[in-house]
Amino acid sequence: MKEDAYWIKDTVKAHTKWFEASLPMIASENLMSPLAKEMMISDFHDRYAEGLPGKRYYRGNIYVDEVELKCLELAKKIFKCQFADVRPISGTVANMAVLFALTQPGDTISTPELASGAHISTAPFGAVGMRGLETIHYPWDYKNWNLDVDAAIKFIKKEKPKVAQFGLSVFLFPTPIREIQDALQEAGSVVWYDAAHVLGLIAGGKFQDPLREGVHIISASTHKTFPGPNHGILIGDNLTDELQAKLQKAAFPGVTSSHHLHAMAALAVTMAEYEIYGKQYASQVIKNAKALGSALYEMGLDVMCPHLGFTESHTLAVNVAEQGGGSQVSIDLEKANIICNKNMLPGDTSSVKPSGIRLGTQELTRVGMEESEMEEVARLIYRVVMKKEDQEKVKKDVWELKKDFTKIRYCLNEGEEAYSFHDIF
């Protein structure tokens, strides 16, 4: 019905206004640039391009091929690699492509545990389990939120996993891949790094450089610290022709048919912009995360890893078990227009009622906030979590802060509204 269609539009507009008046701190979200958003409502959205550029199964892809080739060229330049595939339509789909290319049911894959910050696609109920793989988990240093290097070396030499997977959903610090590389080589493991959360920090040269540290293949989504569309990517360097062919075949026709050409074009635009602004943006994201962690800690919140500066990424992990637990605290914060998520911490056994919350600074940085604003954000969080103030009262002060930070930064067309709804009709 006509009324239903317009109700849906009005509801989406209401969501947009809500986020404009909020502090969005989900670590897996970001804002696209105006130019990238234009690609999402272009005619590319309505088309198919199965296969590789120049080798499509459909006609009508002359311009699509040109854009995709430019996207691949930019990816190889930004990530200093000789292989890229931009056809996966999400990070999890990219992960599935890697699993299809590298493994057979019954193979052994080593990963971090969920409670150590791993992504659900590596869980027994996720893509790894659906592929029929045997999963083993690295020894973990809970104090430092990272691999226990000495124990991991012994573990890898003993278990000899066919694929050694690294990467986290709560990605606070670089993975010590260099330190365990000899063990990985001795075991003959293919090294796979899920960079979904830190792709923008890697591209900006501010986190670690996995392909120079012993990683063979990187998978990622492209909408977290890398501020592009909801899409996926595969990148690698010094890969054999056989492995490249396996990855391409896994991407299509293995796990993707149409690879969402509008999102591919938006990704290409984001890459072109990131060449200009990426280093500055990535640097400020990390500065903001450290400043927020320090401010929250000084106010009495149990922010993980204070002895390591809390984080080297966009993410903070905060233990709120004594304040009601991650589920309740995230609900209370949402009522005050502070948007974050509950999150498991090391030692947790329940993802429904975990101890922690996860906070990300990448979107607040995208709209121009810096270290001084992080102190104000910390005070707002403190009022909800520690002082248990009325959320409606805090919500008003959230808007007082946010109203000066609603314009997009670190892209072409800087200064345009970040949360505008593009009315066509």
Side-chain angles (χ1 to χ4, degrees), residues 223-240:
H223 59 275
K224 297 173 185 174
T225 54
F226 198 83
N230 237 306
H231 203 68
I233 191 171
L234 300 171
I235 54 179
D237 202 35
N238 297 317
L239 303 180
T240 65

Side-chain angles (χ1 to χ4, degrees), residues 242-299:
E242 179 185 9
L243 182 51
Q244 289 188 51
K246 285 183 176 180
L247 289 164
Q248 289 176 330
K249 185 178 180 180
F252 172 86
V255 295
T256 310
S257 177
S258 168
H259 57 284
H260 297 182
L261 307 181
H262 57 310
M264 180 274 294
L267 176 58
V269 168
T270 307
M271 287 180 177
E273 292 178 318
Y274 216 76
E275 271 200 282
I276 305 168
Y277 302 98
K279 289 184 179 180
Q280 182 186 4
Y281 173 66
S283 178
Q284 191 61 52
V285 166
I286 298 169
K287 288 178 183 177
N288 284 352
K290 286 179 167 293
L292 179 62
S294 179
L296 289 170
Y297 185 74
E298 290 298 320
M299 293 174 190

Side-chain angles (χ1 to χ4, degrees), residues 9-265:
K9 177 179 178 179
D10 289 342
T11 302
V12 174
K13 291 178 76 171
H15 163 89
T16 306
K17 292 299 293 182
W18 178 35
F19 267 67
E20 182 179 36
S22 299
L23 296 173
M25 303 185 72
I26 301 288
S28 52
E29 299 175 355
N30 213 326
L31 296 166
M32 276 196 299
S33 74
L35 184 55
K37 279 187 176 181
E38 282 187 8
M39 303 302 103
M40 298 297 285
I41 56 173
S42 70
D43 189 72
F44 270 35
H45 175 276
D46 305 322
R47 308 303 168 193
Y48 257 62
E50 293 184 338
L52 290 166
K55 300 177 182 179
R56 306 294 194 188
Y57 288 83
Y58 293 178
R59 305 313 309 164
N61 288 300
I62 295 170
Y63 297 104
V64 170
D65 284 1
E66 291 181 3
V67 172
E68 188 164 331
L69 288 169
K70 176 58 71 173
C71 190
L72 292 168
E73 174 191 324
L74 290 165
K76 292 172 184 178
K77 184 176 181 182
I78 289 170
F79 296 105
K80 302 179 182 66
C81 62
Q82 48 79 231
F83 171 80
D85 196 316
V86 293
R87 293 176 298 173
I89 59 174
S90 73
T92 295
V93 170
N95 290 350
M96 291 167 61
V98 174
L99 290 170
F100 272 88
L102 300 184
T103 68
Q104 296 293 328
D107 287 343
T108 300
I109 180 172
S110 55
T111 74
E113 288 186 287
L114 280 184
S116 302
H119 187 254
I120 56 172
S121 62
T122 64
F125 54 81
V128 164
M130 295 181 70
R131 183 62 171 152
L133 304 178
E134 179 183 345
T135 306
I136 54 176
H137 301 301
Y138 303 112
W140 202 254
D141 180 347
Y142 292 108
K143 180 182 178 182
N144 295 315
W145 204 289
N146 217 322
L147 297 179
D148 180 328
V149 172
D150 291 339
I153 288 171
K154 295 176 183 176
F155 169 85
I156 291 165
K157 288 181 177 180
K158 177 184 177 183
E159 299 294 341
K160 293 181 171 54
K162 182 174 183 180
V163 176
Q165 189 269 348
F166 303 96
L168 300 165
S169 281
V170 185
F171 214 155
L172 303 185
F173 305 105
T175 301
I177 296 169
R178 277 201 179 99
E179 291 87 334
I180 62 174
Q181 186 177 5
D182 288 348
L184 291 165
Q185 288 181 340
E186 181 180 321
S189 304
V190 180
V191 185
W192 164 31
Y193 185 104
D194 180 351
H197 272 271
V198 293
L199 187 69
L201 308 182
I202 291 170
K206 301 299 179 180
F207 193 67
Q208 67 182 120
D209 190 357
L211 294 179
R212 258 54 65 184
E213 297 172 22
V215 169
H216 298 110
I217 185 71
I218 293 175
S219 62
S221 54
T222 57
H223 59 275
K224 297 173 185 174
T225 54
F226 198 83
N230 237 306
H231 203 68
I233 191 171
L234 300 171
I235 54 179
D237 202 35
N238 297 317
L239 303 180
T240 65
D241 290 343
E242 179 185 9
L243 182 51
Q244 289 188 51
K246 285 183 176 180
L247 289 164
Q248 289 176 330
K249 185 178 180 180
F252 172 86
V255 295
T256 310
S257 177
S258 168
H259 57 284
H260 297 182
L261 307 181
H262 57 310
M264 180 274 294

